[in-house]
Amino acid sequence: MSQKQKKDYVRGQEPAPSLLNHYRGHRGSINSIAFHPNLETVYSAGTDGFIMSWNFRRETRALRFEGHEKPVNEVALSKDGDLMISASDDSTVRIWVPIIKGDFLSLKAHSAAVQSACFNPVETSQFATCSNDKSVKLWSVQRFKTKANTTKFRSHEFIASFSNHTNWVRSVRYSRDGRLLCTASDDKTIRVFDLRSNSCTHTLTCDAGAPTKADFNPCGGYYIGVSTTAHSFLLYDARMEKLLQSYTNLNDGPVNDFAFHPDGDFAVTVSEDAKIKILDLVEGRPIFTLYGPRTGVLATAFSPDGKLFATGGKDRELLIWEPVLLPYSEDEIATDSNKENSSGASKASERASVAGTESRNISRSGSKTSASSRQTIHSIS
């Protein structure tokens, strides 16, 4: 959708997100989703142990990456999309060159299932992992180009380990400048690590159940979003160790995953109750509820340009959505902030507590889709 088209919409009267495509190919639940920076490909990881690569061009066949011996919990791409990382219940992490016959590197990163892994957005040779062994680890990978201009891996190196958590660590994410890590654990804490000192600098206690994921807001700073098992989504200022927004009772089941829009003004959350929520973080309220999936939704991700988002879960189906989200200008955000300050109360928190009745409900039957979008599977050995 062009920027000109977006300018024709009035905030609060945007059309509902439309369903552009759906893909099937996994033999189990979809646990994780990642868009390639080229905006033409999306990856999904599943309990079947496979990673699928789906291309939006219908004439292009899907690819399947094999190698893990147990469910794959997460898949992520480097900033340029030239490397892919996967984390699995088989205690290993794999680094891939995500092309046909591309090289890969497998390492036993932990002594238990690896729940999450991601690349440093600045130093893309570095990556972080976390596990059911309660630890968080930092690594680096060395690669080189052959005479045929193909990428090969030379080795990997362990950098550091953090053992501050007292229970399984569910997610790990870098800040946008690559200097911080945030982690979410079943011990009901979110921790922030400063990689310059390799120390834990801030600890947030989650009172709304156990956190399922934590991530930095793209707007920068110490703003961290958290999804929880207690049907909630929370937004913190980690530097002040302060809760800014609390979307309690957002769903009728655990919020399994969320994704920030690249502008940081919006978030998509997905839940065990099969509902997809779109949140306006500036106004502090949900604006859409989507009912596309047939059962619990486990994963979601925005495309790098924010024009699309994807969802997947227990029905084994990957759905591609096109929302119309109008980014806020700095003047709009300043005006909204001044209104809240003058009221003497956090309007965002008030809205969030009753927001379940404020969003527009959209069913899958009202969205467009096409059976011809289903793709065949090509296996990579």
Side-chain angles (χ1 to χ4, degrees), residues 56-97:
F56 295 151
R57 292 175 296 183
R58 292 180 180 176
E59 68 275 10
T60 304
R61 302 177 68 187
L63 304 178
R64 185 171 69 196
F65 295 83
E66 302 175 349
H68 284 294
E69 298 176 356
K70 291 184 179 181
V72 183
N73 297 315
E74 184 153 54
V75 61
L77 278 295
S78 61
K79 183 179 180 180
D80 298 326
D82 55 346
L83 293 178
M84 179 175 73
I85 190 169
S86 56
S88 171
D89 275 357
D90 62 13
S91 304
T92 71
V93 168
R94 283 191 169 225
I95 312 294
W96 314 75
V97 178

Side-chain angles (χ1 to χ4, degrees), residues 49 52 56 73 99 125 132 149 166 190 270 319 322 361 374:
M52 301 293 298
F56 295 151
N73 297 315
I99 59 175
S125 63
N132 289 358
N149 200 34
T166 59
I190 301 95
V270 295
L319 304 181
E322 182 181 33
N361 298 332
R374 300 179 186 274

Side-chain angles (χ1 to χ4, degrees), residues 35-252:
F35 279 88
H36 194 282
N38 66 11
L39 306 179
E40 296 180 352
T41 310
V42 62
Y43 296 83
S44 57
T47 57
D48 55 9
F50 301 138
I51 301 160
M52 301 293 298
S53 171
W54 311 95
N55 195 289
F56 295 151
R57 292 175 296 183
R58 292 180 180 176
E59 68 275 10
T60 304
R61 302 177 68 187
L63 304 178
R64 185 171 69 196
F65 295 83
E66 302 175 349
H68 284 294
E69 298 176 356
K70 291 184 179 181
V72 183
N73 297 315
E74 184 153 54
V75 61
L77 278 295
S78 61
K79 183 179 180 180
D80 298 326
D82 55 346
L83 293 178
M84 179 175 73
I85 190 169
S86 56
S88 171
D89 275 357
D90 62 13
S91 304
T92 71
V93 168
R94 283 191 169 225
I95 312 294
W96 314 75
V97 178
I99 59 175
I100 295 177
K101 296 183 180 180
D103 196 19
F104 70 89
L105 175 70
S106 178
L107 63 143
K108 186 172 176 58
H110 292 268
S111 60
V114 186
Q115 292 288 349
S116 181
C118 60
F119 286 106
N120 188 314
V122 178
E123 297 290 340
T124 55
S125 63
Q126 298 179 5
F127 59 95
T129 61
C130 67
S131 168
N132 289 358
D133 66 9
K134 309 175 189 178
S135 71
V136 180
K137 295 182 180 181
L138 302 180
W139 312 80
S140 67
V141 61
Q142 292 78 43
R143 50 183 167 153
F144 65 96
K145 289 283 188 179
T146 66
K147 292 182 179 179
N149 200 34
T150 59
T151 299
K152 295 290 184 181
F153 295 109
R154 179 175 286 112
S155 62
H156 68 275
E157 181 181 353
F158 171 76
I159 298 176
S161 179
F162 306 103
S163 302
N164 303 74
H165 286 293
T166 59
N167 208 328
W168 294 0
V169 188
R170 294 291 183 179
S171 77
V172 60
R173 289 293 184 273
Y174 282 94
S175 61
R176 299 314 183 258
D177 61 7
R179 296 180 178 180
L180 303 173
L181 278 182
C182 71
T183 57
S185 170
D186 282 0
D187 63 13
K188 296 187 177 182
T189 66
I190 301 95
R191 292 182 179 270
V192 178
F193 298 89
D194 189 323
L195 302 184
R196 291 164 292 188
S197 61
N198 278 347
S199 62
C200 178
T201 56
H202 301 279
T203 301
L204 306 171
T205 300
C206 182
D207 296 321
T212 56
K213 178 183 177 180
D215 194 8
F216 290 95
N217 188 290
C219 70
Y222 280 74
Y223 297 114
I224 294 176
V226 179
S227 53
T228 81
T229 57
H231 314 179
S232 303
F233 175 78
L234 312 173
L235 188 63
Y236 288 93
D237 181 339
R239 185 190 295 272
M240 302 298 294
E241 298 187 0
K242 178 182 179 182
L243 179 63
L244 301 179
Q245 292 185 15
S246 176
Y247 298 81
T248 56
N249 299 318
L250 183 65
N251 292 86
D252 297 322

Side-chain angles (χ1 to χ4, degrees), residues 310-375:
T311 60
K314 293 182 177 180
D315 63 4
R316 308 179 184 182
E317 192 167 21
L318 180 69
L319 304 181
I320 309 296
W321 304 83
E322 182 181 33
V324 179
L325 300 176
L326 305 179
Y328 284 86
S329 67
E330 292 185 5
D331 291 340
E332 287 179 297
I333 294 175
T335 300
D336 188 80
S337 178
N338 290 336
K339 287 180 180 179
E340 288 192 6
N341 291 336
S342 63
S343 69
S346 174
K347 292 168 66 178
S349 296
E350 293 172 6
R351 290 174 183 148
S353 65
V354 296
T357 61
E358 296 181 9
S359 60
R360 285 172 277 174
N361 298 332
I362 310 298
S363 67
R364 180 175 180 174
S365 60
S367 303
K368 62 181 182 179
T369 185
S370 170
S372 62
S373 66
R374 300 179 186 274
Q375 300 192 15

Side-chain angles (χ1 to χ4, degrees), residues 11 259-261 264-268 279-281 287 325-328:
R11 193 178 306 283
F260 284 118
H261 186 275
D265 298 338
F266 305 93
V268 171
L279 311 180
D280 184 324
L281 301 179
I287 54 178
L325 300 176
L326 305 179
Y328 284 86

Side-chain angles (χ1 to χ4, degrees), residues 294-312:
R294 299 177 177 89
T295 184
V297 192
L298 304 176
T300 188
F302 265 106
S303 62
D305 62 0
K307 294 180 180 179
L308 301 173
F309 70 89
T311 60

